[in-house]
């Protein structure tokens, strides 16, 4: 499986609970290695960057 | 060894007024992809006046996926008309199969990523005409499915790509704090003689006593302390500041402090 793609989904998709609930065995293996608090902070940081970029484009 | 600053439009007039204290300027490639003719002439004049290097953020070289050809062409065009001394990119991925993350994400540090990076660097070298300096990135998430420590990753990157390195000391300080390793040991473990450029920046403490590398704050003391250990005689030092700008004299003071530390 493509780890980067799964990380990109974790970083960007709104419904994190749905990703976790529907995770494949390989994805569950990745999730087990991720600190949930760090993921939460990373998602927030990436969202801020995306919003700042959109604001610049507008 | 030269000391300089990242070009930002908000700082432009102050930079131009203080070129006696700024020896090198770093220009962000993606900010000038759609530059007007006037803007191009201004940057070309700048590059004839003071040494300029170009910094890219959009390529996502450290990825199993191939670099996006249109983005690579766009960066190549900017480098083509600025004609910088060199250019740099991050050891990060920024998208995957149509998903744009929006910023620099640390990839899994393992062979598959290293192979993808080497392919992407070769492609970039062919299209742009020179290889990038490769920069370590800050991350809040220790990349899962990694087989190597960050210093081991940097060592293998330098060997596999033959690229020189851009060492961001605040990224190192942030990761060392966030993941509990010694930044000083990291500096002993990487090929310091391959470091051609150094970034200085600041960030802030967030939840869990982690450090967020936001480039909006002054360079903290531990980063200056690392500078003395990271210096190679051929390395240039660039101060990065992306907003929350203080008086320009404060930024010049940070450059002076870097000169003293080096």
């Amino acid at each position: 499986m493509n780890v980067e793609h799964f990380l990109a989904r974790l970083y960007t998709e709104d419904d994190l609970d749905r990703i976790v609930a529907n995770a494949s065995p390989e994805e569950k293996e990745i999730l087990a290695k991720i600190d949930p608090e760090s993921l939460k902070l990373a998602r927030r940081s990436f969202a801020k960057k995306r919003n700042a970029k959109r604001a610049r484009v507008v | 060894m030269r000391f300089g600053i990242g070009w930002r439009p908000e700082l432009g007039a102050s930079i131009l007024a203080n070129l006696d204290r700024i020896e090198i300027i770093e220009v962000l490639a993606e900010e000038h992809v759609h530059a007007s003719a006037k803007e191009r002439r201004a940057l070309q004049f700048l590059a004839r006046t003071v040494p300029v290097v170009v910094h890219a953020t959009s390529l996502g070289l450290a990825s199993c996926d191939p670099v996006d050809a249109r983005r690579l062409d766009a960066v190549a065009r900017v480098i083509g008309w600025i004609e910088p001394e060199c250019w740099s990119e991050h050891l990060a991925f920024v998208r995957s199969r149509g998903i744009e993350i929006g910023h620099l994400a640390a990839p899994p540090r393992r062979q598959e990523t290293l192979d993808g990076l080497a392919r992407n660097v070769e492609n970039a070298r062919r299209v742009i005409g020179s290889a990038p300096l490769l920069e370590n990135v800050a991350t809040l998430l220790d990349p899962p499915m990694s087989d190597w420590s960050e210093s081991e990753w940097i060592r293998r990157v330098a060997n596999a790509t033959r690229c020189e390195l851009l060492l961001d000391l605040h990224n190192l300080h942030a990761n060392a704090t966030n993941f509990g390793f010694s930044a000083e040991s990291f500096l002993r473990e990487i090929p310091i003689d391959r470091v051609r450029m150094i970034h200085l920046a600041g960030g802030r403490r967030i939840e869990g006593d982690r450090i967020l590398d936001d480039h909006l704050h002054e360079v903290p003391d531990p980063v200056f302390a690392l500078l003395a250990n990271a210096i190679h005689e051929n390395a240039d030092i660039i101060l990065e500041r992306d907003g929350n700008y203080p008086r320009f004299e404060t930024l010049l003071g940070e450059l002076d402090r870097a000169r003293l530390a080096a």
Side-chain angles (χ1 to χ4, degrees):
Chain A
M1 76 160 295
N2 186 317
V3 181
E4 290 165 29
H5 184 65
F6 186 58
L7 283 174
R9 290 185 58 209
L10 289 176
Y11 288 146
T12 59
E13 288 187 14
D14 288 338
D15 194 346
L16 187 57
D17 291 341
R18 193 176 63 83
I19 302 178
V20 173
N22 296 330
S24 68
E26 293 95 334
E27 290 167 345
K28 281 182 181 153
E29 190 188 343
I30 297 171
L31 286 168
K33 296 175 189 298
I34 292 176
D35 169 43
E37 186 63 20
S38 298
L39 177 59
K40 192 176 81 179
L41 293 170
R43 279 169 58 86
R44 194 192 306 163
S45 168
F46 285 134
K48 265 189 188 168
K49 292 283 184 183
R50 285 196 301 278
N51 290 338
K53 263 185 196 166
R54 281 190 203 110
R56 272 209 307 277
V57 170
V58 170
Chain B
M1 190 183 303
R2 296 170 294 186
F3 296 81
I5 192 166
W7 178 267
R8 305 291 182 269
E10 299 90 334
L11 301 177
S14 298
I15 289 174
L16 292 173
N18 288 280
L19 286 179
D20 56 330
R21 295 172 70 183
I22 297 169
E23 295 147 340
I24 185 168
I25 291 173
E26 183 185 78
V27 173
L28 293 172
E30 287 78 3
E31 294 292 316
H32 304 288
V33 165
H34 303 294
S36 64
K38 185 179 172 187
E39 197 181 341
R40 287 184 187 203
R41 282 196 301 274
L43 281 173
Q44 285 166 331
F45 175 77
L46 182 72
R48 287 196 299 271
T49 308
V50 62
V52 165
V53 295
V54 166
H55 193 43
T57 59
S58 67
L59 298 182
L61 296 177
S63 172
C64 299
D65 294 338
V67 65
D68 181 85
R70 284 177 311 156
R71 290 175 194 273
L72 182 55
D73 285 343
V75 170
R77 281 196 297 277
V78 172
I79 291 173
W81 58 258
I82 292 183
E83 298 186 68
E85 286 191 359
C86 63
W87 70 286
S88 57
E89 201 13 307
H90 301 82
L91 288 165
F93 72 106
V94 294
R95 66 186 63 82
S96 180
R97 299 182 188 176
I99 300 176
E100 290 288 332
I101 297 171
H103 199 51
L104 308 158
R109 297 185 293 258
R110 59 183 188 165
Q111 191 63 49
E112 199 178 347
T113 315
L114 188 61
D115 293 342
L117 169 72
R119 285 193 299 272
N120 285 331
V121 164
E122 277 314 301
N123 191 18
R125 195 194 306 261
R126 198 178 63 250
V127 171
I128 292 176
S130 61
L133 312 185
L134 295 173
E135 179 181 358
N136 59 307
V137 294
T139 178
L140 290 167
L141 190 75
D142 201 14
M145 313 307 277
S146 292
D147 295 326
W148 306 319
S149 68
E150 192 177 354
S151 60
E152 175 72 13
W153 162 245
I154 297 293
R155 254 201 325 269
R156 287 175 185 262
V157 163
N159 285 337
T161 64
R162 296 172 286 122
C163 290
E164 293 181 296
L165 301 171
L166 193 174
L167 177 63
D168 188 309
L169 289 177
H170 190 261
N171 290 349
L172 169 59
H173 169 58
N175 288 355
T177 303
N178 294 346
F179 307 115
F181 66 85
S182 160
E184 290 78 10
S185 297
F186 177 100
L187 292 175
R188 286 192 294 272
E189 290 161 5
I190 66 165
I192 206 79
D193 59 325
R194 300 280 290 278
V195 174
R196 177 159 169 202
M197 195 165 291
I198 290 173
H199 274 172
L200 303 176
R204 66 185 170 92
R205 293 271 172 177
I206 57 173
E207 294 99 308
D209 213 22
R210 293 170 175 88
I211 294 178
L212 178 68
D213 173 64
D214 62 10
H215 296 188
L216 300 178
H217 300 83
E218 64 188 20
V219 179
D221 291 344
V223 168
F224 283 113
L226 290 172
L227 183 59
N229 295 326
I231 283 293
H232 181 264
E233 59 185 15
N234 293 327
D236 294 316
I237 287 88
I238 301 283
L239 175 64
E240 287 185 302
R241 183 76 181 227
D242 292 346
N244 190 28
Y245 297 109
R247 288 176 55 245
F248 197 70
E249 190 59 39
T250 303
L251 299 180
L252 291 173
E254 290 189 299
L255 280 185
D256 288 341
R257 191 173 170 195
R259 286 184 177 94
L260 286 174

